[in-house]
Every structure is written in structure tokens, then in C-alpha cells.
Amino acid sequence: MSGNTEAEEICSAVMETAGQLGIACSRDRVWSILSTYADAFAHAMPLAFRMATGPRHAGDVDCRFVTHPKDRNPYPLALSNGLTPKTSHPVGTVLSDIEAQFPIDGYGIDFGVVSGFTKVYAGFRPEDLQKLSKLAEIPTMPHSLAGNFDFFVRHGLDDKIAFVAVDYLHRTVNVYFNDVPPACFEADYIRLMLREIGLPEPSERMVGIGKQAFGLYITLSWDSPAIERFCFGVTTTDLSSLSLPIEPQLEKFAKSVPYGGAGRKFVYGVAATAQGEYRKLETHYKWNPGTVAFI
């Protein structure tokens, strides 16, 4: 199947999902993104849908996919095709600076069916997790990474970086940690970590998800010295196996997304912020076995 044919199929799935959820979006806008990266779909690259609770995420659903070829930074193509505006802000150069210093193994893209092109992920090989101390040396990184360096070292996270994501819409950076020390998933330790970075006491739901999590990530911005978000995610093929009720909004979303493969997988996450927690659910559409999930 050609890339454009596959992209057309995915575009129809995106529009069907948005319609089921009552989200009005422009097919032309969705197609402008999918057609820009059509070569990804020609090589059977995966795509997933994600929805989150909370006012910031209302009225939108995200789509994410891995790009091809995997050694090509997708951000310049987004710029040249008008998917995102040029900017003099550090958000516009931080990914190329990371690319110059780290052995990136592949890229992924996030876009909202309403908000458009949003985020680029840069991933490292699972057997070659990277050091946060090196990432903090990049001048265009948010200074809050270096400012909270002792926190990461104290909790055994300095050499556990699996991905970095740059959010161009919200001007933030996500840092994802894998092979996290088991202590970080213990209830009392979760409470301790959130307390240390000034976030509210976690709910029992967040503690419960944390105890089952495969990894964690944090969100940083150029406008604050704080760690703005702290998130745990858990994977499952059966949402009922999580032993906690899924929010009706997310349950409806899970039932609305079409699926074209076998062995369906979900990723459920809980994120802590200064304003409170929110939840998110990722569900896969033609996802390749062994592909790492984002949260």
C-alpha cells in the first residue's frame, strides 16, 4: 500500500473518531499533516490516538505516529510545510541542539485534530539510555532541568532518559525515564517525590497507577524554575484489569477509536500539576509489536 493510500485510510479513521466524540475539526488540516509525512505510513509505521481530561484538553483528541526515515528530524519539514510557525524562541532550536549531542534512534510526532501540529519526540535505543547531566548542558534547554538536577540524581534518574519531546504549541519539553528504580513506584516514595518538587499530595488513583507503571516523565518550560508536571503511565490490553474505574469521557473515547490490527494495547496515565491531576488514555491504531508507547 502506498504512503498516500495509507494516509487516506488513517485520515478517515481520525475523522471517524472525532465525529464519534462530537469534535468538529477540519479534514484539510488533518490531511495537511498526514500527507506531509505520508512516507511514514508507507513503511507500516504505527499510529495511536490519545485523549486527556481537564479544561486544557477539552474538545480535542491527539494523534501520534513514528516518522520515516527515522534519522530525519521532522521539525524542519513541519516548518517548510507551514504546519507550525517559525519562532525565535528556544523551542525552535532545542531539538536540533539535542540532535547534535545525542545518538537519536528515531522520531515521533503528535498532532491535535483541532490544535494541529504540536510535538516532536526524539527517542534513544532502549539499551542506550542517556544521561540527564549531558542534556542539562544544552544551553537552549529549559533552565529548570539543571535547576532540579539534584532531584533526579537523588532518585536514580540521571542515566535513565529514553525520550525527549518538544511541544511547540505549549513551549514545553518532556523528559521520559525508563528502567526507573523500583523505589520510585512505591506509594510512600511517590508522595515523597511530589512533595519535594512542590506538587500536591497525590490521589490514591495516581499512587495506584504509579505502583503499576512502566516509566515516568516530567514536563519543563522556559517560564518556570519548577517541574511543572509529573506523570506515571501503565500499559494494558484490558482496561478492566487496572482495578479502578476509567473516567466516562475516556471510556467513551476508547470505544470510539477504530482499530485495524491484533493485540490492541492501551496506555493509561495520571499527571500531577500544581493545579491538580488529570488523566489520559492512549489507544493504538495499527500499532507495531514492540513499539514503545508515550504517555
Side-chain angles (χ1 to χ4, degrees):
M1 186 179 289
S2 72
N4 278 333
T5 302
E6 184 77 4
E8 285 277 10
E9 178 187 327
I10 290 172
C11 188
S12 296
V14 171
M15 298 306 296
E16 178 185 342
T17 299
Q20 294 254 11
L21 296 169
I23 296 174
C25 63
S26 165
R27 188 186 187 283
D28 289 345
R29 187 169 199 177
V30 171
W31 178 245
S32 69
I33 298 169
L34 294 176
S35 60
T36 295
Y37 301 101
D39 57 353
F41 309 115
H43 292 79
M45 289 295 148
L47 180 137
F49 295 84
R50 189 194 68 168
M51 175 171 272
T53 62
R56 172 173 167 173
H57 308 280
D60 207 352
V61 62
D62 295 328
C63 306
R64 48 188 51 181
F65 58 90
V66 176
T67 59
H68 181 87
K70 70 176 188 177
D71 59 350
R72 182 190 301 163
N73 182 341
Y75 179 61
L77 195 57
L79 285 174
S80 63
N81 282 268
L83 303 182
T84 189
K86 293 183 179 179
T87 178
S88 59
H89 188 277
V91 74
T93 55
V94 66
L95 184 58
S96 60
D97 292 342
I98 293 170
E99 187 178 38
Q101 298 293 324
F102 288 87
I104 294 173
D105 189 49
Y107 293 95
I109 290 172
D110 254 18
F111 72 93
V113 300
V114 174
S115 54
F117 183 91
T118 304
K119 187 183 297 184
V120 173
Y121 299 87
F124 312 115
R125 294 190 305 276
E127 69 277 9
D128 190 25
L129 300 180
Q130 297 296 303
K131 283 186 170 292
L132 187 140
S133 52
K134 184 178 178 182
L135 186 64
E137 292 174 355
I138 295 177
T140 49
M141 278 295 295
H143 296 313
S144 49
L145 186 65
N148 289 282
F149 180 71
D150 289 347
F151 169 82
F152 300 108
V153 172
R154 188 162 57 250
H155 299 300
L157 299 172
D158 175 42
D159 58 350
K160 305 297 184 183
I161 300 178
F163 301 91
V164 179
V166 180
D167 188 326
Y168 297 95
L169 180 63
H170 301 106
R171 293 186 171 180
T172 58
V173 172
N174 296 338
V175 180
Y176 294 78
F177 301 91
N178 283 356
D179 290 348
V180 173
C184 293
F185 300 131
E186 296 175 1
D188 288 343
Y189 210 85
I190 293 169
R191 296 185 180 97
L192 172 66
M193 288 190 293
L194 293 183
R195 194 177 307 126
E196 286 184 356
I197 59 177
L199 291 177
E201 185 77 5
S203 68
E204 288 306 310
R205 179 179 294 260
M206 183 166 194
V207 170
I209 289 298
K211 292 194 300 187
Q212 305 173 61
F214 64 85
L216 62 87
Y217 85 81
I218 52 97
T219 302
L220 310 164
S221 81
W222 285 268
D223 301 323
S224 169
I227 295 172
E228 296 195 344
R229 277 181 291 181
F230 191 100
C231 181
F232 289 113
V234 60
T235 60
T236 181
T237 57
D238 179 6
L239 290 176
S240 65
S241 70
L242 297 180
S243 302
L244 50 83
I246 302 298
E247 292 75 10
Q249 172 190 357
L250 299 183
E251 188 173 24
K252 179 181 179 181
F253 162 69
K255 294 176 180 178
S256 299
V257 176
Y259 188 58
R264 190 168 201 173
K265 185 170 70 173
F266 301 95
V267 183
Y268 182 79
V270 181
T273 74
Q275 294 75 39
E277 294 176 9
Y278 67 91
R279 286 85 184 208
K280 44 194 171 177
L281 181 67
E282 176 181 293
T283 178
H284 294 169
Y285 176 87
K286 290 191 175 180
W287 200 256
N288 292 347
T291 303
V292 177
F294 303 113
I295 47 178

